[in-house]
């Protein structure tokens, strides 16, 4: 059996803002789909309103993604072929319930407080802190309220 390739898809009301936040938070690269978009536009296969300008180039209106900078990617489509997060626009806001899935950012005890402060500067906020024999971490939320931990 071959291992399954996967990506984490996150519903969002503003996929480009979320991609910007998480690219900065993880030091990931924003995926650039502009070559594919221009090819589709040139062949007349791109519906009106499917794109927006983001960072000075065409991007999908309803999707934005970030990828690990060391992982391979398709140079034509811009799609990452390894670790990546895809943000997709949904019409409804995030429900006011606890996340059933979240990211843990492992930065180490010596860097935790500096990383929490950096992430707050990017728009995250601290929800609460845990310090117990099993470990210590800060539970935070991204700009759209999705929870994650900094350990």
């Amino acid at each position: 059996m071959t291992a399954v390739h996967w990506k984490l898809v996150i519903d969002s009301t503003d996929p480009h803002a979320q991609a910007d936040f998480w690219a900065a938070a993880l030091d990931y690269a924003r995926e650039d789909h502009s070559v594919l978009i221009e090819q589709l536009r040139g062949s007349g296969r791109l519906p009106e309103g499917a794109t927006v300008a983001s960072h000075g180039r065409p991007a999908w209106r309803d999707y934005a993604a970030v990828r690990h900078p060391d992982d391979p990617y398709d140079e034509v489509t811009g799609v990452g072929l390894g670790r990546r997060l895809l943000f997709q626009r949904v019409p409804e806001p995030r429900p006011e319930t606890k996340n059933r899935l979240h990211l843990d950012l492992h930065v180490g005890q010596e860097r935790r407080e500096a990383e929490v402060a950096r992430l707050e500067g990017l728009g995250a906020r601290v929800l609460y802190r845990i310090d117990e024999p099993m470990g210590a971490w800060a539970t935070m939320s991204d700009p759209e309220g999705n929870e994650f931990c900094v350990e």
Side-chain angles (χ1 to χ4, degrees), residues 9 28 98 123 139:
V9 180
Y28 270 33
K98 182 170 178 8
T139 298

Side-chain angles (χ1 to χ4, degrees), residues 6-35:
W6 60 272
K7 66 180 167 285
L8 180 62
V9 180
I10 302 169
D11 289 349
S12 173
T13 56
D14 186 344
H16 294 279
Q18 284 293 90
D20 286 343
F21 172 82
W22 283 103
L26 300 172
D27 198 22
Y28 270 33
R30 279 281 311 254
E31 288 187 358
D32 178 1
H33 306 127
S34 62
V35 171

Side-chain angles (χ1 to χ4, degrees), residues 109 112 128-137:
Q109 179 180 350
R112 185 181 318 115
Y128 56 89
R129 296 173 187 273
I130 300 291
D131 191 356
E132 56 188 32
M134 184 180 101
W137 62 89

Side-chain angles (χ1 to χ4, degrees), residues 22 102-107 116 119 128 137-141 147-151:
W22 283 103
H102 69 265
L103 298 178
D104 283 351
L105 310 184
H106 297 269
V107 299
V116 165
L119 293 166
Y128 56 89
W137 62 89
T139 298
M140 303 185 75
S141 66
E147 294 178 16
F148 65 97
C149 295
V150 179
E151 298 182 14

